[in-house]
Amino acid sequence: MGRTTFVGRTFLHLLVNTAVAGLTTSFLWFALTFWAYLETRSVLATGIIGGTYMLFVSVSSILLGAVVDRFRKITVMRLSTIVTLVFFTGAALLYRVVPDEAMTDLGQPWFWLLVVLVLLGAIVEHMRNIALSTCVTILVPDGQRDRANGLVGTAQGISFMATSFLSGLSVGLLGMGWTLALATVVVGIGLGHLLIVRMPQEREPASTGAEGHGQVDLAGSLRVILAQAGLMSLILFSTFNNFIGGVYIALMDPYGLEMFPVEVWGAVLGVTSLGFILGGAVIAKVGLGRNPVRTLLVSVVAMGVLGSAFTLREWWWLYAGGILLYMALIPAVEAAEQTVLQRVVPLERQGRVFGFAMAAETAAAPVTAFLVAPLADRWIIPYAASARGREMLEPLLGVGTPVSRGIAVVFLAAGLVMVATALLALRSPAYRVLSRTYAGTAPTDLRTLTGPGEIVTSASGAALAARTDRVTRAGPEPPEEATDEVG
């Protein structure tokens, strides 16, 4: 298969549909947060909304992964869209029938009921992201999945960029009622499109009683992860990386708002999110190299350098350029992890393993954000504002507002920790073991040598783990070109 035809029509249809669905739910969730603060002026309300969202994503990911494993992936995507449509429709109707003064009264249940309906609709949509990762395994040959994952990163970047612009505009120009209606209509259109997409490449799922298939079975998923040497280390490293990334979640907006007016800061975020698109496009073009694990760790080193350097001086171009480059590296890190999991984890277990990884990694960032924000507010920023603090920090971080210099201290420390951790990981036995595991589970057409215990994979590229105790698939599947269809 040529380098320009590494994906088929079915994958592209699912990718675009999932990207639009992600844009729609993020658009509505951001709009709800903006509207809630503008109407209530309650930081507590917006804090509860944001914290609850991250908590629900983390807690629900393993369960959603089990649903992905139990049913056909196209069925899961349709089911997710139907559930999201039901919740968004309920939210739109609730907003329509409840008077404005009652809807924005935090002492009454209507505001919180609206939040819950939008929250549930947005959370269920995450099941589609898990399903899309398993669809890459089914639809894309093994040696080209890294570039397919790059396309996924590009699509996510486009969604992120559009969300940054559209949510504020919609609430400001149309109001929350029309914003709810617009999101509901777009979800309905997405459902109509999914109903005409066919995915004949996917086999019927195994029976639900077979080795916990389709059950949450966390212990079974952990056994699969631990069976692949170094895989748990990869997930733990990604979790730690997100833990450090929580520093930027907590403090990036305050630093930007110290430097830019709020309208300009929103535009800066929209423009710098082009990094997602550019990074994903590069991976889609050239891939991740022979060893995605090395690519991941080297990318994290670069992210740490950028994170520690882009606030060394209070220069707008340094900060904006650093964010752009930082975002450009995120698709490489995410695509590398997905590419490794797609090769070494059996297909029938991938939904739950992806869900487990999402749960662990999603939980890390808000924990750091909750820890770092009060630490910076109570101790670091006041120290930067003191005479002794200014004297100590000026040679390294220059002059600027106390808030910005205090945040710069945190960013510098977090970036250096990220660099040190990634460099240590590159020298660790776990890195070498996982690299061998990834290379050893390659399909036969990607290996130069084969040996005992290696599994011959199907023509569709759904590579299975080489060290599992049983062969989970047998015989070749029809090539994608022969079965790829829509409608």
Side-chain angles (χ1 to χ4, degrees), residues 35 90-100 103 114 175-177 180:
W35 171 81
L93 292 175
L94 177 69
Y95 187 88
R96 173 70 176 153
V97 300
V98 175
D100 290 345
M103 180 61 71
L114 179 70
M176 193 61 196
L180 283 163

Side-chain angles (χ1 to χ4, degrees), residues 186-199:
V186 174
V187 172
I189 294 172
L191 176 61
H193 173 243
L194 271 181
L195 293 176
I196 66 172
V197 174
R198 298 291 181 266
M199 192 171 164

Side-chain angles (χ1 to χ4, degrees), residues 21-36 49-50 52-54 56-57 80-81 83-96 103 109-126 167 171 176-177 179-184 187:
L23 168 62
T24 306
T25 52
S26 298
F27 158 76
L28 184 56
W29 187 252
F30 273 77
L32 177 67
T33 305
F34 296 159
W35 171 81
I49 291 172
T52 303
Y53 176 78
M54 298 300 293
F56 269 66
V57 169
S80 169
T81 308
V83 174
T84 298
L85 181 62
V86 169
F87 282 125
F88 283 6
T89 301
L93 292 175
L94 177 69
Y95 187 88
R96 173 70 176 153
M103 180 61 71
W110 309 118
F111 173 85
W112 301 109
L113 180 57
L114 179 70
V115 170
V116 168
L117 289 172
V118 176
L119 170 67
L120 293 176
I123 292 299
V124 171
E125 192 272 332
H126 279 280
S167 297
V171 171
M176 193 61 196
T179 299
L180 283 163
L182 179 61
T184 304
V187 172

Side-chain angles (χ1 to χ4, degrees), residues 382-402:
Y383 174 76
S386 67
R388 178 175 175 78
R390 289 195 301 270
E391 180 182 353
M392 291 290 294
L393 297 177
E394 185 174 334
L396 178 62
L397 300 176
V399 296
T401 66

Side-chain angles (χ1 to χ4, degrees), residues 327-349:
M327 289 186 175
L329 291 167
I330 292 175
V333 174
E334 295 181 347
E337 182 184 10
Q338 290 182 0
T339 301
V340 172
L341 292 176
Q342 285 158 353
R343 176 181 288 185
V344 306
V345 176
L347 176 61
E348 70 273 12
R349 180 68 67 167

Side-chain angles (χ1 to χ4, degrees), residues 22 25-26 29-30 48-66 115-116 118-130 156 242 249 334 351-367 370:
T25 52
S26 298
W29 187 252
F30 273 77
I48 291 174
I49 291 172
T52 303
Y53 176 78
M54 298 300 293
L55 176 64
F56 269 66
V57 169
S58 179
V59 171
S60 65
S61 293
I62 296 175
L63 175 61
L64 297 179
V115 170
V116 168
V118 176
L119 170 67
L120 293 176
I123 292 299
V124 171
E125 192 272 332
H126 279 280
M127 185 161 58
R128 295 188 49 161
N129 296 326
I130 299 174
Q156 291 172 342
N242 278 18
I249 292 176
E334 295 181 347
R352 282 161 290 179
V353 172
F354 276 118
F356 174 84
M358 181 184 291
E361 294 162 18
T362 304
V367 170
F370 290 141

Side-chain angles (χ1 to χ4, degrees), residues 204-239:
E204 291 293 335
S207 63
T208 57
E211 297 202 11
H213 183 83
Q215 302 172 10
V216 172
D217 191 21
L218 179 58
S221 296
L222 287 174
R223 284 195 299 271
V224 171
I225 293 171
L226 294 173
Q228 303 303 321
L231 189 56
M232 179 59 80
S233 298
L234 173 65
I235 294 175
L236 291 177
F237 178 82
S238 297
T239 300

